[in-house]
Amino acid sequence: MFFYIFLIVFLLNTIWDTVLSIWNVNYSSRKTTVPEVLRDRFSEEYLKNSSMYLKDVTMVNVILNLINTLISLIFIFWGFTYFENFVLKITDSLILQGLFFFGIIWIIYKILSLPTEIYRNFVIEARYGFNTMTPKIFVSDFLKSLLVTAILFIPLISFLLWILETDNNWWWKISIFFVGFQLLMLLIYPLYLAPLFNKFTPLKDEKLKEKIKDILKKASINISEIYVMDASKRTKKKNAFLTGMGKSRRLVLFDTILNYPEEEILAIIAHELGHYKYKHIPKLLGLNLIFYTFVFYLVNLVYNYLAKGNIFNVSQPYSLFVYSFLFIESLIFFMLPLLNYLQRKFEYQADEFSAKVIGSKYMISSLKRIIKENLINLNPLPLYKIWHFNHPSPEERIKKLLQFSE
């Protein structure tokens, strides 16, 4: 009975996500009117271009999702059992068995998803003038990501396997460790990981730097240096972000954004600083602790249930964990609207901070510029927006910002 429940929940996840994505494309393509608050910068021609971009990107994402689902089904019916038996013949060490088991599965997923990633970058993104990445950089990024992932996850998986072997009620230990791992990533990502892929140089524009430091001082935010990232090596898209914590905290600007008017750059930066001012990072960490504690508690329940039977013809902790996690992950997918709602509230707060510090007209102007240059969809399906958007839609953000200028 559980086997069929497992399959229904797992497939329902993929079916719903696919239907929602295609529905969003059809809904957006039928919307031929620019929202009123955006008509000063956007035309119907823009809607056509953004709809075409949305359609192409969605097609790639749907295909990738279906490929991953097909691979997962092969693993569920046959692969996990086969690879469990395979690693059992290699070594008697449970930790080594688990590392081989997870490593093989991970490599298969990476290799089979590689063609769609290549198509996304060198066909879709290139078609709309975004991609600036060379094949050499793509291969280098791919190999570096494999190496970094292996270095980071070998100790993580080893700890997981050790806990699974020594304690039947492991959910709370793994939850604490997982959130601790996220904290570690916040600390080391800006200093050691991000520089492996991009070059970060201190902002050279002294006039702009002084104005940014003035905002930092007024907001009582301590960030020692502002960096520029060579994003133009990979994309023409624009962005800025605040990353890290403590001494590793960094305010980073894409080099593609430096040609914006100064006040718009300051508005974007003020938005990122708003996340810090309202303590969104520690709040998200707290939410993650609650969320993942709940997730791993449920995974632990299913794990113990599966360990008592022989539902999937597996018996080792790593195999049982994978089946348990896949099942709960499929259920948790239906909690995404709540998590995204909370993050959208954070984005509104960050926009409000920018409006107070720089002025809403500059935040509105910068948003419209980013929306236009990144071909962002102006008319998302409301249900898709609720399910997938962790940022408010362009129309919602502009309307909210206009309230601050009244």
Side-chain angles (χ1 to χ4, degrees):
M1 183 65 178
F2 180 82
F3 178 79
Y4 296 106
I5 295 172
F6 180 100
L7 284 180
I8 290 170
V9 171
F10 179 77
L11 290 174
L12 187 61
N13 183 317
T14 301
I15 292 168
W16 174 241
D17 198 36
T18 302
V19 169
L20 203 56
S21 297
I22 295 172
W23 189 3
N24 180 52
V25 170
N26 292 334
Y27 176 89
S28 300
S29 64
R30 291 197 303 269
K31 288 282 187 175
T32 57
T33 304
V34 177
E36 186 177 348
V37 294
L38 296 165
R39 287 176 189 169
D40 60 327
R41 293 271 193 100
F42 300 87
S43 63
E44 291 183 4
E45 184 65 27
Y46 172 87
L47 283 183
K48 292 179 183 177
N49 291 333
S50 64
S51 293
M52 289 170 60
Y53 179 59
L54 174 67
K55 182 179 179 181
D56 288 344
V57 170
T58 301
M59 177 194 70
V60 174
N61 290 338
V62 166
I63 290 172
L64 184 59
N65 192 24
L66 292 175
I67 288 172
N68 286 336
T69 300
L70 179 61
I71 297 168
S72 296
L73 285 173
I74 293 171
F75 280 144
I76 289 166
F77 281 102
W78 172 79
F80 293 140
T81 304
Y82 174 84
F83 289 121
E84 179 186 283
N85 292 329
F86 176 75
V87 299
L88 280 169
K89 296 174 184 177
I90 297 176
T91 176
D92 293 330
S93 168
L94 178 72
I95 291 178
L96 288 177
Q97 289 172 12
L99 289 173
F100 282 125
F101 180 83
F102 286 116
I104 292 168
I105 293 167
W106 170 61
I107 289 171
I108 290 172
Y109 272 109
K110 290 291 287 185
I111 291 173
L112 292 180
S113 64
L114 194 55
T116 53
E117 289 298 320
I118 293 171
Y119 185 80
R120 185 205 307 273
N121 282 286
F122 294 102
V123 178
I124 302 301
E125 294 297 304
R127 179 182 299 164
Y128 294 92
F130 293 132
N131 183 59
T132 58
M133 184 188 299
T134 63
K136 182 179 178 180
I137 291 176
F138 181 87
V139 172
S140 175
D141 284 353
F142 179 74
L143 294 176
K144 285 178 185 176
S145 67
L146 289 180
L147 180 61
V148 170
T149 303
I151 291 172
L152 291 175
F153 279 87
I154 284 175
L156 183 67
I157 298 299
S158 298
F159 178 82
L160 167 67
L161 293 166
W162 177 72
I163 291 296
L164 292 178
E165 187 178 25
T166 57
D167 190 353
N168 288 330
N169 294 309
W170 40 257
W171 57 272
W172 63 273
K173 294 179 182 177
I174 291 178
S175 302
I176 293 171
F177 183 78
F178 187 80
V179 174
F181 181 77
Q182 288 186 310
L183 281 170
L184 178 64
M185 288 298 100
L186 275 174
L187 285 169
I188 70 172
Y189 174 79
L191 299 177
Y192 305 109
L193 301 183
L196 293 174
F197 299 91
N198 289 96
K199 185 178 180 181
F200 294 82
T201 55
L203 178 64
K204 294 178 181 179
D205 187 332
E206 291 298 329
K207 183 183 175 183
L208 179 60
K209 187 186 291 186
E210 286 305 312
K211 290 189 175 183
I212 294 172
K213 287 185 176 180
D214 187 50
I215 296 172
L216 291 169
K217 187 177 180 180
K218 289 178 181 177
S220 301
I221 298 173
N222 182 28
I223 296 176
S224 58
E225 190 62 81
I226 301 106
Y227 289 89
V228 175
M229 186 180 86
D230 61 341
S232 58
K233 287 175 62 178
R234 292 169 176 79
T235 183
K236 290 183 179 179
K237 290 185 176 181
K238 280 74 175 172
N239 206 351
F241 60 92
L242 183 66
T243 186
M245 61 185 297
K247 291 183 178 180
S248 73
R249 188 176 295 116
R250 298 286 187 271
L251 177 60
V252 180
L253 307 177
F254 279 25
D255 58 356
T256 52
I257 214 171
L258 294 180
N259 62 347
Y260 277 22
E262 190 175 80
E263 296 299 331
E264 291 186 7
I265 295 175
L266 293 173
I268 293 166
I269 290 170
H271 169 90
E272 296 304 322
L273 295 177
H275 288 302
Y276 175 81
K277 185 66 177 178
Y278 290 113
K279 297 179 170 51
H280 290 159
I281 292 176
K283 286 178 181 177
L284 282 173
L285 283 170
L287 286 171
N288 279 346
L289 177 59
I290 296 169
F291 176 71
Y292 283 109
T293 299
F294 175 64
V295 168
F296 286 121
Y297 174 73
L298 294 179
V299 173
N300 200 166
L301 289 178
V302 176
Y303 176 92
N304 288 335
Y305 175 77
L306 294 180
K308 294 175 183 178
N310 192 31
I311 298 172
F312 295 105
N313 295 318
V314 295
S315 60
Q316 298 304 307
Y318 41 85
S319 308
L320 294 169
F321 182 85
V322 167
Y323 278 110
S324 306
F325 190 83
L326 276 176
F327 179 65
I328 297 303
E329 183 186 37
S330 300
L331 285 177
I332 293 301
F333 171 77
F334 297 96
M335 287 181 61
L336 280 179
L338 174 60
L339 299 175
N340 287 330
Y341 169 76
L342 294 172
Q343 288 188 264
R344 288 196 298 271
K345 287 192 69 174
F346 290 166
E347 293 302 321
Y348 279 132
Q349 289 178 334
D351 280 350
E352 181 180 358
F353 180 80
S354 179
K356 288 178 179 177
V357 173
I358 304 298
S360 60
K361 69 175 182 178
Y362 295 115
M363 188 63 209
I364 290 170
S365 179
S366 64
L367 266 177
K368 288 179 178 179
R369 194 182 298 271
I370 290 175
I371 291 164
K372 192 170 188 178
E373 294 182 1
N374 290 351
L375 275 180
I376 294 173
N377 180 24
L378 301 183
N379 296 306
L381 175 74
L383 186 57
Y384 184 89
K385 178 177 62 181
I386 290 170
W387 211 277
H388 280 287
F389 279 28
N390 57 16
H391 282 58
S393 69
E395 182 181 10
E396 289 171 330
R397 291 183 74 176
I398 301 298
K399 282 182 174 180
K400 194 75 172 179
L401 282 164
L402 285 170
Q403 294 177 10
F404 301 133
S405 62
E406 293 174 354

